[in-house]
Amino acid sequence: MSNSASSNPILIISMGVSGCGKTTLAKYLAKDFGLVFLEADDFHSAENKAHMASGRPLTDAMREPWIASMCDKLREHRQKGESCVLAYSGLRRAHRQRFRELGFPTLFIHLAGPQEIIRRRMEARANHFMPSGLLDSQYAALEAAVNEPDIIEVDVGQSIPKIRRQATELAREFIQKHRT
């Protein structure tokens, strides 16, 4: 199942707090299904990255240009008929809704789990602007997916192969449903 160009492009969003593995999963799904990969961090301004690197969380006002930029890029891909996988935190319900309004059938795969597991993963990674000290603010900003049936939670406490298998099956079912 490949080829990101289609008359009915889809959007899969690998979401969760920093350090949950969303980028790794999104890259894996994009490669496995032949979809365009987008990394939300690439859309942050240098100022936003510096702000977070200094240990301060973003405000919603600071997130706004970032969200708008991602939406613009996704619209371009949709117009070309290209399906995408976006690695994106998805912390705010209103922001998730903006992605739904782009015209793609959309699936959110929420990588969720205990803060202790994710903190250990954050502390083990190198060369990332987001310090583990901001994890508390990420959890505080994360709005629960109440009445959002397009968000499916995957437990990050499982082994990486189990996470990949579960996410791959979810993506496969979603793609088959929306591309046939």
Side-chain angles (χ1 to χ4, degrees):
M1 206 175 304
S2 63
N3 186 0
S4 66
S6 162
S7 60
N8 189 24
I10 55 101
L11 174 61
I12 297 172
I13 298 179
S14 176
M15 69 172 267
V17 297
S18 185
C20 71
K22 63 186 168 286
T23 297
T24 301
L25 179 62
K27 285 179 179 177
Y28 175 81
L29 293 174
K31 183 176 186 240
D32 198 37
F33 292 104
L35 309 177
V36 174
F37 167 74
L38 297 169
E39 168 56 66
D41 287 345
D42 294 342
F43 294 86
H44 275 301
S45 66
E47 294 80 15
N48 278 4
K49 286 183 178 181
H51 188 85
M52 290 182 283
S54 73
R56 296 175 293 161
L58 297 179
T59 64
D60 282 344
M62 295 170 85
R63 288 182 181 110
E64 180 52 37
W66 174 57
I67 299 296
S69 179
M70 284 187 284
C71 286
D72 288 345
K73 187 58 149 177
L74 285 164
R75 276 187 206 93
E76 288 176 22
H77 285 291
R78 188 177 186 298
Q79 288 173 352
K80 295 179 198 174
E82 295 173 338
S83 293
C84 300
V85 179
L86 172 66
Y88 160 68
S89 59
L91 300 177
R92 299 293 205 202
R93 176 187 290 268
H95 298 157
R96 296 188 299 254
Q97 185 57 34
R98 288 184 54 191
F99 291 111
R100 291 180 182 107
E101 293 169 357
L102 294 173
F104 289 97
T106 304
L107 171 66
F108 294 82
I109 299 175
H110 181 196
L111 298 175
Q115 198 166 340
E116 305 78 43
I117 290 173
I118 294 173
R119 184 177 309 282
R120 281 195 304 272
R121 290 180 182 176
M122 285 182 82
E123 290 169 351
R125 67 185 184 183
N127 301 320
H128 196 280
F129 65 88
M130 178 71 90
S132 62
L134 282 181
L135 188 57
D136 292 341
S137 70
Q138 290 249 304
Y139 273 92
L142 178 61
E143 294 176 342
V146 177
N147 296 322
E148 293 180 88
D150 55 358
I151 298 179
I152 299 174
E153 194 170 288
V154 173
D155 179 10
V156 297
Q158 305 176 80
S159 70
I160 301 298
K162 283 184 180 179
I163 292 169
R164 283 186 175 170
R165 277 194 303 273
Q166 186 178 358
T168 298
E169 187 55 37
L170 291 167
R172 181 176 289 111
E173 290 172 9
F174 179 75
I175 290 167
Q176 288 173 347
K177 177 181 177 183
H178 291 284
R179 283 208 172 157
T180 56

